[in-house]
Amino acid sequence: MPEMRFVITWPDGQEESCYSPSLIIREFFTEGESYSVADFVDRSRRALTIASDRVEAKFGFACSSANDQLARIESAAVAFLHDADARVHCKTFIL
């Protein structure tokens, strides 16, 4: 499976390189676009779940790295969910 990274910038300016075991991320995010934190978490959850499911279909087990990445995103997002104007910027994809 082709894996990829997607680089994001949190509302506080922290940049993070995120992992996906599948290119599905490109169907949920666009380079250069910003998303509300809640929308970003929702899109991440859907994309990384699909990615993990694809790994499971191919190899017989879920992708723990995709699940770990989703947990990290959900955890980091908590600090910003109270601010309706907070945005997560999808900076770039790394294939």
Side-chain angles (χ1 to χ4, degrees), residues 65-79:
S65 294
N67 296 333
D68 290 347
Q69 181 62 69
L70 177 56
R72 164 69 188 125
I73 288 169
E74 291 173 333
S75 175
V78 169

Side-chain angles (χ1 to χ4, degrees), residues 19-52:
Y19 172 80
S20 173
S22 167
L23 302 180
I24 191 71
I25 294 296
R26 296 190 302 187
E27 294 180 26
F28 286 83
F29 298 109
T30 302
E31 286 180 312
E33 290 292 319
S34 293
Y35 304 87
S36 72
V37 175
D39 186 35
F40 177 76
V41 171
D42 180 62
R43 288 169 182 260
S44 296
R45 187 176 295 120
R46 289 185 290 141
L48 290 169
T49 298
I50 291 169
S52 182

